[in-house]
Amino acid sequence: MDLKLNGKNALITGGSRGLGRQCALSLANEGVNIVICGRTPETLENTKVDLETAGAKVITIVGDISVPDKAKEIHAKATSKLGHIDILVNNVGGTLSREDISGTNLDDFRGTFDINLFGGYELMRLVIPHMQKQSWGRIINIASIWGREYGGNISYMSAKAALIGATKHAAVSLGKYGILVNSIAPGSIAHPQGSWERFQNNNSPEVVEQFISDNLPLGKFGWPEPVGDLVAFLSSDRAGTITGTCIPVDGGQGISMI
Ligand SMILES: NC(=O)c1ccc[n+]([C@@H]2O[C@H](COP(=O)([O-])OP(=O)(O)OC[C@H]3O[C@@H](n4cnc5c(N)ncnc54)[C@H](OP(=O)(O)O)[C@@H]3O)[C@@H](O)[C@H]2O)c1
């Protein structure tokens, strides 16, 4: 399937590892010019080599998206090199607390929103004017099944739910400008240096097997390619009527039937 994305410019936050790296690779394979950001220069440079091997023009930006105003700096650097952004993938996510309400103070709750929502929200606002001007744009926010439905800790679940809400609201506002806004809700996806790799390394085979048996209908952890390839598809005109939705990529792990 030719997605006709050749020559478009994409910014992927946290594109150096894991799901973000795969989103960058899937878009690079479609001829998209890529900007990736992350906090670790070495990982960014390693991924840059992989993306260039796929034929992409690649810009790397070192920056922590959870820091106030960093989004502005990242956007300014990206557009100074590429001119404008056609496709934004807000991929960075994480949590500062793994507890419930009794164990999560306001600073950690708020900080988790900084990681998952506020930087990405600011980036959305920064890319929209050019997308409106050219009557074409794509924004894809990486949420979680623990945002569509109950799961995980209180700060992460709340921040991802807010991200899904902001995605839907922006989609309704921006549809008339040819800008499609969607979110993706991954389930448990393992990849090098990811949290589920750590979980498997830090627990006994019995504990891992029990987790898989209790939670993962496919009998194994997910892998990044379905997320990256969905991002590429949602970026294309073939997905022209898909907006405002949250699409699970979870191997059936989520318990919601809608
Ligand atoms: N993997 C899963 O099972 C799963 C499940 C549900 C949802 N998700 C969501 O999917 C997204 C990607 O997950 P992942 O597993 O690939 O995450 P990950 O392993 O933590 O990788 C995140 C990427 O983002 C970068 N990054 C992290 N914090 C950053 C920050 N504050 N500013 C800039 N870059 C930052 C990392 O590079 P540096 O560390 O060098 O900055 C890395 O490139 C997240 O939103 C996550 O919540 C993942």
Side-chain angles (χ1 to χ4, degrees), residues 3-23:
L3 296 178
K4 297 194 165 51
L5 289 170
N6 196 34
K8 300 269 192 217
N9 300 330
L11 166 59
I12 301 114
T13 67
S16 57
R17 281 192 291 109
L19 307 191
R21 175 180 178 277
Q22 184 58 50
C23 295

Side-chain angles (χ1 to χ4, degrees), residues 33 38-39 98 111 122 144 148 174 179 230 237 243 247:
N33 305 314
R39 296 163 301 177
R98 303 198 174 275
E122 195 166 14
S144 169
R148 294 185 83 235
L174 299 173
I179 304 171
L230 177 59
D237 285 335
T243 196
I247 304 176

Side-chain angles (χ1 to χ4, degrees), residues 35 61 74-85 126-127:
V35 186
I61 301 173
I74 289 168
H75 179 258
K77 282 187 180 158
T79 50
S80 76
K81 304 270 185 188
L82 289 183
H84 65 273
I85 299 300
L126 288 163
V127 298

Side-chain angles (χ1 to χ4, degrees), residues 93-95 97-99 109 112-113 116 142-165 183-189 195-196 199 211 214-216 221 246-250 252-256:
T95 188
S97 156
R98 303 198 174 275
E99 305 292 330
F109 191 74
T112 302
F113 274 67
N116 292 279
I142 308 299
S144 169
I145 54 169
W146 293 340
R148 294 185 83 235
E149 58 190 48
Y150 175 86
N153 66 70
I154 190 168
S155 50
Y156 183 78
M157 177 182 156
S158 303
K160 291 300 195 187
L163 180 63
I164 293 167
S183 58
I184 293 175
S188 299
I189 297 182
S195 59
W196 292 111
F199 171 79
F211 177 85
D214 290 346
N215 295 284
L216 307 179
F221 284 90
C246 178
I247 304 176
V249 179
D250 67 351
Q253 182 180 1
I255 58 169
S256 170

